[in-house]
Amino acid sequence: MADGGGEEVQVVSLGGKGSSLSSSSVNAIAAGQARLRIDSSALDRLTTQSPPPQSLKTCRIPIPETLTPVECRASLVVLLNKLLRHPNPSQIRTVLPNLIADVLNSDSGVAPSLASVEVTEEEGLVVQNSCAELYGVSAVIDHEAAALATVVDAVAALSCEALKGNDLAFNSTDSGDGHVDKDEIGVASDMKLLLSGSKMAGKNSIQAISKIPEVHGGLRQFVKSVHSMTRVKLNSSVKPVDGGEREAVAAKLQPLPALRNVGANSLSRAKLNVEAVGSESSRTGLLTLFEEKCPTEIDLSNAAKLVSDLLFEEDYPAFVHALNCLLETVWNIVSWEVVTAFVVLEGGDLEGAMTTEVNGGDKPVDKKSEKKKKKAVLGKGTSLTVQLIKEWLQRKEVGSSDGQTVLEKWVEDVLLFFNHKRPKFGELVTTVKGIVESNESRRLPKLPKGTRDFSKEQMTIREKAFSIIADVFKRHGATALDTPVFELRETLMGKYGEDSKLVYDLADQGGELCSLRYDLTVPFARYVAMNGITSFKRYQIAKVYRRDNPAKGRYREFYQCDFDIAGQYEEMGPDFEVIKILTELLNELDIGDYEVKLNHRKLLDGMLEICGVPSEKFRTICSSIDKLDKQSFEQVKKEMVEEKGLSAVTADKIGTFVKERGSPKELLLKLKQEGSDFLLNASSKRALDELDILFEALDRSKCISKVVFDLSLARGLDYYTGVIYEAVFKGTTQVGSIAAGGRYDNLIGMFGTKQVPAVGVSLGIERVFAIMEQVQKDRNQIVRPTETQVQLSILGDKSKLPLAAELAGELWDSKVKAEYVVNKRSDKHMARAKESKVPWMVLVGDKELESGTVKLKNMEANIEEEVPRATFVQELQRRLKE
């Protein structure tokens, strides 16, 4: 079907099998940009029988008079769809849907014939409970807000160019730790693309530009919230009674600060744009028009306040109308931002047109200045937006008319171009979407949250650390062990206390129920029990998996480096050795200052018993105490009292004990003083005796200075039975615990018939890596990603590959770490050698081939010398050893 302009008009079909109503379709019908058709299958499902006249009642369509014509029509579209989607269509007559469709397809707005209609009881329930006025306006808001979220970045990019704004705020990337706003990152990425190639952006620091990712990210969140609600509500059937539908809609539409912030930020940039106009006459004229027609901060604030007031008053139809009006105000402000930015960027053309106007149509041409004039280089997206506006102005034949100045006509036509209610405005939205969706980062695959890739430089640091760790473990007589990355679910369950919820379960595919390993200790215990081992000193460096919330230094997939000693040994001997190993590891990794917090599970149990905690609550209270490194005691106390059922008095008693912290020997002496409650408790007395032996051994081995006796350390895992410890980095890089462990005498026995006591430590290597990387940055250390000693440079084309293969083969056979390069240009060889920081080069060109020599170059000393081709490997090896 065609309208008067000869353009095809969209037809929207309702009620078809499997069809759904979208916000865009509601808006198109409501705005008169689409015709409505009821699918014949929907009409077939309805009844054509007329009920007895006495069963009909007069009903008023509940559309408030305060709504605009477009909002009223949108509400009727929703009501019609609700009627067609009735779960018992035979109870709905065809009369009412056909009447509504006729009204929507007429040009007379909402016809008086709908003021009151004759309906059956079931039809009346649909009309009264459909919430059509809310969902109809919500659909308009959804459509308009989605369009705004698409184009507002392109508009802001224009201002960034016009104001020569600093684009550093758009360099944000997703760190993968879950502590970033995905929408902010998306905005930053899209802004970067729109400004790609710009020679204007990047100079001035402007708050209204640096806030773009945060402000526009909030708009995207608002749009997602509205869309997710509207998509469902438009296509759901009517509930027989009002079940809080209106409140639910209001809750989804409530984050109006997102809209207000977009308007305020856009208005700030628009004002700066006006100030940035180069020509005084243009600036003065634009300022007059801007102050006269652009909404002000007061207009924006009043519109937002009205929305808040109506929401508080629970006047929901008026609330959604006011919210739509606020959205319209924001659109007007953003349109003026387009105008002001465009005048700044294309002010030369405007000034020329104004000069022509003043000179009666004759424009003086200064060829010298025309020659010198340089065109500003805009970004990939902004240049296309400017081009679209210029093409629009050319079609509109810009010039003064009807008493308008050239500037007034420019402003009017640019505002018309950016009028979101213009039928073809969707083409601009589609164009901007096309620019943004060309962003490669949107098409590239993404990493799951809580995981990371490691660059070659990072892998160099990791491999060095793994080598140091393995050397320390081997120094103490440990042998390596590897276990499967997943275990039977029954093996892992019940070993981690409240942390069991973090175990990754694999999908049940009709076989064994399995889970990814949570740590390396339980698989080690399973291995020892399964193989009947009674004495074993082992280490394992492998990945573990936890279904945790990613954060800085906390990942879902990460390496652990474990050392464990299983078997019967002298009392506290293995415990001492494991703590000694921990201090050796952290010292040799050279991460800086750290401390090892230490406690004893039996001491904790005695403390809890002394405080009056029931024995069945020991483990769960330990889990609460374990949070004291992240939370205040008041928060932990609240958890113990309100969630775990302790009395406030008992919790306060615990508080007096867990505050004890200090030098191991000094605090131990204090706890063993005559009359101490700990000496009267069998569990805590045994712990104090064991700690006495341990601290003496640590003192003699000269590592006790790194240990802190801390009664707040609890370690939440259920399997610990004796000494527990945790290493914490004390430097500026905040990463939390970097290693932990303890004694677990009963864990291995859970898997077999024999109890095998054990003690171990696990190094949180990912956090250690973060510290090592920061240390290298602070020391300005350069990381060489390769160990290449020699670059073999063959000057020539691809025909010289056999020569390169021959010489490189000799180097590799002699165990020299070498790479080869074949290229005609010597500068390419030098660039490659400097980039990879190789200490030596072997250069072979035509001259060297003729003389039977090769040239050796010391890159650091910048000294070259020729040596015989036959002995160049031996000569090179000698120099490498010097």
Side-chain angles (χ1 to χ4, degrees):
M1 183 178 291
D3 65 5
E7 295 179 352
E8 287 297 319
V9 175
Q10 178 189 0
V11 176
V12 176
S13 180
L14 292 188
K17 189 174 181 181
S19 65
S20 61
L21 182 63
S22 68
S23 295
S24 296
S25 296
V26 172
N27 187 78
I29 297 169
Q33 296 169 7
R35 305 283 288 178
L36 175 68
R37 183 177 71 85
I38 300 177
D39 191 273
S40 58
S41 64
L43 292 173
D44 291 342
R45 291 193 297 270
L46 306 181
T47 182
T48 55
Q49 296 180 358
S50 299
Q54 61 270 23
S55 66
L56 297 176
K57 61 179 182 179
T58 302
C59 175
R60 178 180 175 278
I61 304 295
I63 298 178
E65 295 178 358
T66 54
L67 299 189
T68 66
V70 169
E71 291 171 340
C72 290
R73 288 171 60 82
S75 303
L76 288 178
V77 176
V78 174
L79 176 58
L80 173 57
N81 199 49
K82 297 288 185 183
L83 288 165
L84 298 176
R85 286 184 168 275
H86 194 278
N88 297 310
S90 60
Q91 297 183 14
I92 305 296
R93 300 170 301 151
T94 58
V95 176
L96 185 54
N98 280 327
L99 177 60
I100 295 173
D102 289 342
V103 168
L104 289 169
N105 284 331
S106 71
D107 297 326
S108 57
V110 179
S113 57
L114 287 178
S116 61
V117 292
E118 296 288 319
V119 297
T120 64
E121 182 179 355
E122 194 63 31
E123 291 168 348
L125 287 174
V126 174
V127 170
Q128 295 303 320
N129 296 333
S130 65
C131 300
E133 75 284 7
L134 295 186
Y135 298 143
V137 181
S138 295
V140 173
I141 293 172
D142 180 26
H143 173 79
E144 299 288 6
L148 178 64
T150 299
V151 301
V152 73
D153 294 342
V155 175
L158 284 176
S159 291
C160 195
E161 301 264 29
L163 300 171
K164 298 180 173 61
N166 193 315
D167 59 358
L168 286 177
F170 312 137
N171 290 334
S172 304
T173 56
D174 190 348
S175 63
D177 61 8
H179 273 218
V180 294
D181 189 309
K182 295 286 185 182
D183 292 304
E184 285 187 29
I185 295 296
V187 171
S189 176
D190 292 346
M191 289 294 295
K192 197 76 176 171
L193 180 74
L194 290 164
L195 295 168
S196 175
S198 170
K199 299 296 183 185
M200 296 185 68
K203 295 179 181 177
N204 300 324
S205 180
I206 300 170
Q207 189 178 26
I209 288 174
S210 61
K211 288 172 65 176
I212 288 170
E214 177 187 352
V215 173
H216 292 191
L219 176 62
R220 290 189 182 188
Q221 290 173 11
F222 172 76
V223 168
K224 287 177 184 176
S225 175
V226 174
H227 183 69
S228 63
M229 178 271 294
T230 309
R231 181 172 50 85
V232 173
K233 297 300 184 183
L234 288 181
N235 298 287
S236 60
S237 55
V238 175
K239 294 182 179 179
V241 293
D242 186 359
E245 293 279 296
R246 289 169 172 80
E247 290 82 356
V249 173
K252 285 289 184 181
L253 295 172
Q254 192 172 356
L256 65 95
L259 277 179
R260 186 181 60 231
N261 292 344
V262 169
N265 210 39
S266 178
L267 186 58
S268 296
R269 291 191 298 271
K271 288 180 176 180
L272 293 171
N273 289 339
V274 173
E275 295 173 9
V277 174
S279 162
E280 185 176 348
S281 57
S282 297
R283 183 168 60 253
T284 303
L286 182 61
L287 179 61
T288 301
L289 293 171
F290 179 78
E291 290 179 340
E292 180 185 336
K293 297 183 178 181
C294 180
T296 64
E297 291 96 335
I298 294 175
D299 296 328
L300 187 63
S301 179
N302 289 341
K305 185 176 184 303
L306 178 60
V307 175
S308 296
D309 291 345
L310 292 170
L311 178 61
F312 181 76
E313 294 167 11
E314 298 184 356
D315 187 348
Y316 298 123
F319 161 72
V320 292
H321 167 70
L323 184 59
N324 195 26
C325 291
L326 172 62
L327 180 58
E328 184 66 26
T329 301
V330 174
W331 264 111
N332 288 339
I333 291 171
V334 172
S335 299
W336 272 97
E337 184 182 357
V338 174
V339 170
T340 56
F342 183 73
V343 171
V344 175
L345 294 171
E346 296 298 317
D349 291 348
L350 174 62
E351 195 64 26
M354 292 173 70
T355 303
T356 303
E357 180 182 44
V358 170
N359 293 334
D362 296 325
K363 179 182 177 182
V365 178
D366 183 346
K367 291 187 177 179
K368 276 189 177 179
S369 62
E370 193 73 21
K371 218 173 188 181
K372 289 180 182 176
K373 183 180 176 183
K374 284 187 177 179
K375 203 66 178 172
V377 179
L378 302 179
K380 176 181 178 180
T382 48
S383 59
L384 183 55
T385 307
V386 168
Q387 185 59 35
L388 289 171
I389 298 174
K390 291 172 78 172
E391 289 174 1
W392 169 265
L393 293 177
Q394 286 172 1
R395 289 200 299 271
K396 303 300 286 185
E397 297 179 355
V398 171
S400 57
S401 60
D402 300 326
Q404 287 181 309
T405 66
V406 172
L407 176 61
E408 289 171 340
K409 188 71 169 65
W410 257 47
V411 170
E412 179 185 284
D413 287 339
V414 175
L415 287 173
L416 180 61
F417 169 78
F418 209 75
N419 181 359
H420 60 286
K421 298 187 184 300
R422 180 169 58 88
K424 290 204 169 186
F425 183 76
E427 293 178 6
L428 173 63
V429 177
T430 303
T431 301
V432 174
K433 272 185 179 178
I435 299 169
V436 169
E437 288 171 1
S438 70
N439 189 346
E440 288 186 3
S441 67
R442 283 178 167 240
R443 300 198 305 269
L444 292 174
K446 302 271 192 303
L447 275 174
K449 289 180 180 178
T451 63
R452 292 189 297 170
D453 289 325
F454 296 98
S455 67
K456 56 187 181 181
E457 290 82 8
Q458 289 174 311
M459 283 305 300
T460 302
I461 297 172
R462 293 170 75 85
E463 288 176 348
K464 177 186 175 184
F466 284 141
S467 176
I468 291 171
I469 293 164
D471 285 346
V472 171
F473 289 158
K474 290 175 183 177
R475 186 187 308 154
H476 288 261
T479 55
L481 174 70
D482 191 26
T483 56
V485 75
F486 55 88
E487 297 273 350
L488 291 175
R489 194 171 299 170
E490 63 192 47
T491 300
L492 302 180
M493 290 300 103
K495 313 299 188 304
Y496 303 110
E498 294 182 2
D499 281 354
S500 292
K501 63 181 180 289
L502 303 182
V503 173
Y504 265 114
D505 291 333
L506 300 180
D508 179 6
Q509 298 183 352
E512 299 170 322
L513 296 179
C514 296
S515 301
L516 294 178
R517 62 190 176 204
Y518 174 91
D519 65 5
L520 301 177
T521 305
V522 171
F524 166 67
R526 187 263 311 151
Y527 174 84
V528 171
M530 192 174 77
N531 291 280
I533 298 171
T534 58
S535 180
F536 191 21
K537 187 183 284 189
R538 85 84 169 89
Y539 76 89
Q540 185 173 358
I541 300 174
K543 287 182 177 180
V544 298
Y545 302 85
R546 297 186 183 178
R547 195 163 52 86
D548 208 345
N549 290 321
K552 186 175 179 61
R554 179 182 291 141
Y555 300 94
R556 289 176 171 172
E557 177 194 63
F558 56 94
Y559 272 96
Q560 279 190 342
C561 304
D562 278 24
F563 180 97
D564 293 83
I565 302 174
Q568 296 286 350
Y569 294 87
E570 66 285 345
E571 188 175 26
M572 303 310 291
D575 308 72
F576 145 70
E577 186 173 5
V578 169
I579 296 171
K580 172 65 174 170
I581 286 169
L582 176 55
T583 60
E584 287 178 13
L585 282 175
L586 298 179
N587 289 338
E588 294 188 29
L589 289 169
D590 193 23
I591 62 170
D593 197 14
Y594 67 90
E595 68 179 18
V596 178
K597 297 192 292 184
L598 184 145
N599 202 359
H600 199 298
R601 260 293 168 82
K602 288 187 175 69
L603 188 62
L604 269 173
D605 290 348
M607 178 189 78
L608 296 177
E609 191 176 339
I610 291 166
C611 293
V613 178
S615 59
E616 66 271 13
K617 290 189 177 181
F618 280 7
R619 294 289 76 86
T620 186
I621 296 303
C622 277
S623 293
S624 297
I625 294 172
D626 194 41
K627 298 173 183 175
L628 281 170
D629 61 335
K630 304 179 188 72
Q631 299 178 8
S632 68
F633 179 74
E634 288 306 314
Q635 291 173 302
V636 171
K637 176 184 174 181
K638 184 178 180 182
E639 179 181 305
M640 291 191 292
V641 173
E642 296 182 5
E643 298 179 24
K644 300 186 176 178
L646 285 190
S647 68
V649 173
T650 301
D652 286 333
K653 283 183 181 178
I654 293 172
T656 61
F657 285 119
V658 297
K659 291 173 185 174
E660 295 285 357
R661 183 180 192 277
S663 166
K665 285 194 164 185
E666 290 177 9
L667 183 53
L668 180 65
L669 192 62
K670 178 181 177 181
L671 298 180
K672 292 183 75 172
Q673 283 179 348
E674 190 174 344
S676 168
D677 290 336
F678 288 109
L679 294 178
L680 302 176
N681 181 278
S683 177
S684 58
K685 185 177 184 306
R686 172 71 188 278
L688 293 174
D689 290 342
E690 290 182 356
L691 290 174
D692 200 355
I693 299 169
L694 175 64
F695 291 161
E696 185 62 31
L698 292 173
D699 190 15
R700 294 290 188 91
S701 67
K702 298 181 174 56
C703 65
I704 199 168
S705 61
K706 291 293 186 181
V707 178
V708 176
F709 192 5
D710 188 340
L711 295 192
S712 71
L713 180 67
R715 301 292 298 145
L717 302 183
D718 281 359
Y719 52 66
Y720 287 124
T721 59
V723 173
I724 50 177
Y725 31 84
E726 181 176 275
V728 179
F729 180 60
K730 296 172 72 176
T732 54
T733 306
Q734 298 299 311
V735 293
S737 169
I738 53 176
R743 174 163 285 280
Y744 50 99
D745 287 346
N746 302 325
L747 181 59
I748 295 173
M750 291 182 181
F751 300 109
T753 58
K754 187 183 295 184
Q755 289 288 4
V756 180
V759 63
V761 66
S762 179
L763 185 68
I765 194 65
E766 302 297 344
R767 296 180 178 183
V768 172
F769 287 146
I771 298 167
M772 292 176 71
E773 288 173 3
Q774 189 59 50
V775 167
Q776 288 212 319
K777 285 181 184 176
D778 294 343
R779 295 175 181 174
N780 292 319
Q781 293 176 340
I782 298 172
V783 178
R784 274 197 69 202
T786 72
E787 295 181 12
T788 305
Q789 298 168 296
V790 179
Q791 176 178 302
L792 173 62
S793 291
I794 307 297
L795 293 162
D797 57 20
K798 60 184 179 182
S799 65
K800 295 291 176 61
L801 177 60
L803 173 63
E806 178 186 348
L807 298 178
E810 292 181 28
L811 290 167
W812 293 330
D813 291 343
S814 300
K815 305 299 185 287
V816 176
K817 296 172 182 176
E819 294 183 74
Y820 70 86
V821 179
V822 180
N823 198 295
K824 293 178 182 179
R825 295 172 53 182
S826 59
D827 60 326
K828 293 288 185 183
H829 291 277
M830 293 302 298
R832 171 74 176 272
K834 288 177 180 177
E835 181 186 356
S836 58
K837 302 177 181 65
V838 292
W840 286 89
M841 282 181 72
V842 175
L843 297 107
V844 183
D846 291 337
K847 180 184 173 185
E848 286 75 25
L849 285 175
E850 289 175 8
S851 62
T853 61
V854 301
K855 194 177 288 181
L856 303 185
K857 179 165 183 169
N858 184 321
M859 293 298 293
E860 185 177 352
N862 198 25
I863 296 173
E864 295 181 0
E865 59 180 309
E866 287 190 356
V867 299
R869 155 75 180 80
T871 60
F872 90 99
V873 175
Q874 292 81 357
E875 292 288 340
L876 194 55
Q877 286 178 317
R878 182 171 61 79
R879 286 162 175 77
L880 288 170
K881 290 175 183 177
E882 290 177 354

